[in-house]
């Protein structure tokens, strides 16, 4: 096992995200609950930090990109996305857990590929 020179943030949708999903046209997510939505969330690697507020500040800097990524993972039609993708809206729609220790349990090299640019 190896320490990785990153921190990690787990992006957890809140009720406004679920409400948005449920109002999408042709939605077939009748059984989707907030608990199920929050059970398998996106994890984002962050730069290492000394103070947890540094991790929060980094999330603030990339919040619009994260917001768009989360929306696109469910519906790529931007016309159906909320109009307000502000920092304030991001924090209303998502909880973020920040963890300072990342350990790689796999001996193989990590393969990087760019995330789509939104």
């Amino acid at each position: 096992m190896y320490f990785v020179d990153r921190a990690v943030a787990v992006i957890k949708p809140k009720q406004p995200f679920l409400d948005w999903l449920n109002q999408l046209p042709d939605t077939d997510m009748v059984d989707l609950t907030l608990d199920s939505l929050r059970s398998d969330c996106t994890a984002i690697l962050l730069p290492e930090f000394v103070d947890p507020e540094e991790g929060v500040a980094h999330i603030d800097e990339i919040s619009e990109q994260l917001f768009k990524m989360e929306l696109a993972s469910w519906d790529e039609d931007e016309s159906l996305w909320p109009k307000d993708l502000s920092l304030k809206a991001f924090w209303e729609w998502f909880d973020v857990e920040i963890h300072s220790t990342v350990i790689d349990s796999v001996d193989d090299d990590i393969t990087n590929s760019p995330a789509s640019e939104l």
Side-chain angles (χ1 to χ4, degrees), residues 3-9 47-52 98-102:
F3 284 98
V4 178
D5 62 346
R6 298 285 187 270
V8 66
E48 282 185 297
F49 56 79
V50 175
D51 188 348
I98 296 180
H99 305 276
S100 61
T101 303
V102 177

Side-chain angles (χ1 to χ4, degrees), residues 11-118:
I11 312 299
K12 294 190 166 206
K14 293 164 77 171
Q15 188 64 46
F17 191 87
L18 179 60
D19 294 343
W20 171 74
L21 283 175
N22 285 328
Q23 62 79 41
L24 289 173
D26 303 318
T27 187
D28 59 352
M29 296 174 265
V30 182
D31 297 330
L32 192 63
T33 66
L34 191 55
D35 285 340
S36 65
L37 192 60
R38 293 169 62 96
S39 68
D40 183 19
C41 301
T42 303
I44 304 291
L45 292 177
L46 306 175
E48 282 185 297
F49 56 79
V50 175
D51 188 348
E53 284 75 31
E54 293 174 61
V56 173
H58 186 76
I59 292 295
D60 285 352
E61 290 174 21
I62 62 172
S63 65
E64 185 175 344
Q65 191 176 4
L66 291 172
F67 209 154
K68 289 177 178 180
M69 182 183 68
E70 288 295 313
L71 295 168
S73 71
W74 289 89
D75 196 315
E76 293 183 351
D77 184 351
E78 293 181 28
S79 71
L80 299 175
W81 292 1
K83 302 302 178 226
D84 183 6
L85 301 178
S86 67
L87 177 60
K88 181 180 183 291
F90 175 82
W91 287 106
E92 290 170 352
W93 282 50
F94 301 97
D95 284 326
V96 178
E97 290 180 2
I98 296 180
H99 305 276
S100 61
T101 303
V102 177
I103 298 175
D104 189 348
S105 67
V106 180
D107 285 335
D108 297 336
D109 290 339
I110 294 175
T111 304
N112 293 317
S113 59
S116 65
E117 291 295 320
L118 294 172

